[in-house]
């Protein structure tokens, strides 16, 4: 724990004691605190007003039982979560994750990250996150619907367009948002579009929301490239995952002239030297809900499927981890550095371990943390809320242009803040400090609440 400012060290130890066993949450808090030393030195009012201690304690944590019937008629019980972390800047906002690994520590790490990410967008949204240990893999449509309905039967009383606005995350896409919204509407008898984001276009959704996180990550990298007079043209890119974020990151890399030569799922990775065939990947993953080896099979001899090894062994100029937390280890980072990788941008939340981040920094690899690089998803969710509030809908090109502009501003704010605090070029410091200051100032203004 070397390197933490004395006041921050005490806060970190308290977080560990109060949240025992929540390793991912500790990791996320530590990552932010490591950047805040110069801020506390310059602005003692943040430490004195207990701003940082309050930031580490969610405003509200809800844990509930989710009972449902599977297709055989057997009763199943899962656990549901919603952690409403901080509402100083606006209603709680953040996705729902359905994955067997979900427990309170994962939801808290994601909710904590979300506070700073949402702050960085410059939009009026607080931070929260939720989900369930439900595993959607292999479940029928009817089972997914029954689960979502049961989940919302409890969640509905805690959310609302001015209170808390959930969206998707791992395992929660437009299908699940539809079932959740349908049940909310049924229980409350209100067509309250602004209560959930990630909706379908015919029922209150926004253009570009589906694409936003992946596109936004690539826009962010494009800004990094531009800042050194480069572009995506001719760059080899590796993307992990093949879900929502990964697919639209691949789409935008190809549109900007780069080539994605590998992507993955939890079963392995495919290497496709001519470039991932995106139409085929979408068909396999979005329509058939298939596995990455189905892609390789359908591609014939053009793609090789590799199991039991890391996708980061594939040489590239740019790496975009877009699957899940802690998926890039120190060993993976070393492989990337040795193969000449120059930029790593996190499409997923906290996919790089602290050791990997340290190695990238030491090797001079430009590293963009998720709270900056993947903020395009939640920013476009905020645009969806704006359209819902004004009963308007914008076209694709205008919405995409707004997203690109938001990502450019986040990029510039990170660099300017890093400069101001004596760490030029350090996107981690820039993102943490800029995200922190906006929310901390709002908390100071609102008093001890
Ligand atoms: P999806 O469920 O659409 O896709 C997740 C992908 O990651 C799948 O291909 C999945 O493979 C793969 N994956 C999951 N766990 C592992 C693992 N342990 N090892 C290898 N691959 C794995 O989720 P999203 O694309 O929405 O989310 C991906 C990441 O991006 C998450 O970290 C999420 O928090 C973050 N994010 C998402 C946003 C959004 O708008 N959706 C916004 C900001 C961040 P498999 O199907 O085999 O499990």
């Amino acid at each position: 724990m070397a390197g933490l400012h004395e006041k921050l060290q005490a806060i970190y130890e308290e977080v560990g004691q109060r949240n025992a066993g929540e390793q991912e949450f500790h990791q996320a808090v530590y990552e932010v605190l490591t950047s805040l030393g110069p801020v506390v030195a310059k602005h003692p009012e943040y430490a004195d007003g207990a701003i940082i201690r309050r930031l580490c304690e969610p405003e509200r944590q809800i844990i509930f039982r989710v009972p449902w019937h599977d297709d055989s008629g057997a009763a199943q019980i899962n656990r549901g979560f919603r952690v409403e972390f901080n509402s100083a800047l606006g209603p709680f906002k953040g996705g729902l994750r359905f994955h067997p690994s979900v427990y309170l520590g994962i939801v808290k790490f994601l909710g904590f990250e979300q506070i700073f990410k949402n702050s960085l967008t410059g939009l009026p949204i607080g931070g929260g996150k939720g989900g369930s240990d439900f595993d959607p893999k292999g479940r029928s449509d009817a089972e997914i619907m029954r689960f979502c309905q049961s989940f919302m039967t409890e969640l509905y009383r805690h959310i609302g367009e001015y209170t808390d606005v959930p969206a998707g995350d791992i395992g929660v896409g437009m299908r699940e948002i539809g079932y959740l919204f349908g049940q909310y509407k049924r229980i409350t008898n209100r067509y309250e579009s602004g209560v959930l984001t990630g909706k379908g276009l015919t029922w209150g959704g926004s253009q570009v929301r589906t694409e936003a996180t992946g596109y936004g990550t690539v826009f962010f990298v494009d800004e990094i490239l531009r800042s050194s007079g480069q572009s995506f043209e001719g760059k080899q890119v590796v993307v992990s995952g093949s879900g929502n974020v990964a697919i639209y990151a691949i789409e935008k890399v190809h549109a900007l002239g780069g080539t994605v030569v590998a992507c993955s799922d939890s079963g392995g990775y495919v290497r496709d030297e001519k470039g991932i065939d995106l139409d085929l990947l979408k068909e396999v993953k979005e329509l058939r809900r298939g596995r990455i080896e189905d892609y390789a099979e359908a591609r014939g001899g053009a793609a090789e499927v590799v199991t039991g090894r890391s996708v980061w062994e594939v040489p590239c100029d740019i790496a975009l981890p877009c699957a899940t937390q802690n998926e890039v280890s120190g060993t993976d980072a070393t492989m990337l550095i040795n193969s000449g990788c120059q930029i790593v941008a996190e499409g997923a939340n906290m996919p790089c371990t602290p050791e990997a981040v340290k190695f990238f920094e030491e090797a001079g690899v430009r590293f963009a943390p998720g709270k900056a690089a993947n903020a395009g998803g939640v920013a476009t969710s905020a645009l969806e809320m704006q359209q819902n509030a004004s009963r308007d809908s914008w076209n694709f090109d205008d919405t995409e242009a707004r997203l690109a502009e938001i990502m450019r501003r986040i990029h510039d704010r990170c660099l300017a803040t890093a400069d101001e605090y004596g760490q030029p070029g350090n996107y981690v410091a820039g993102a943490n400090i800029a995200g922190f200051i906006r929310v901390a100032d709002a908390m100071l203004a609102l008093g001890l609440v």
Side-chain angles (χ1 to χ4, degrees), residues 11-32:
I11 293 172
Y12 180 64
E13 282 168 15
E14 189 184 342
V15 166
Q17 282 156 13
R18 286 170 69 81
N19 306 276
E22 297 174 0
Q23 184 260 325
E24 296 84 357
F25 178 47
H26 303 169
Q27 185 182 333
V29 170
Y30 189 75
E31 194 263 352
V32 171

Side-chain angles (χ1 to χ4, degrees), residues 28-43:
V29 170
Y30 189 75
E31 194 263 352
V32 171
L33 295 187
T34 50
S35 301
L36 296 188
V39 185
V40 175
K42 197 169 169 184
H43 300 283

Side-chain angles (χ1 to χ4, degrees), residues 106-123:
I106 295 259
V107 182
K108 275 158 79 173
F109 122 63
L110 291 164
F112 186 75
E113 285 277 294
Q114 199 80 44
I115 303 171
F116 306 97
K117 179 188 305 188
N118 294 3
S119 170
L120 265 181
T121 65
L123 298 165

Side-chain angles (χ1 to χ4, degrees), residues 7 19 26 52 60 87 95 108 164 166-167 176 184-185 257 272 330 343 378-379 397 403 407 417 429:
K7 284 184 177 163
N19 306 276
H26 303 169
I52 301 172
R60 192 175 295 117
S87 62
K108 275 158 79 173
D164 184 353
E176 292 73 20
Y184 182 86
K185 184 172 79 59
D272 196 330
I343 298 177
V378 74
D397 290 348
L403 169 65
M407 296 313 295
T417 310

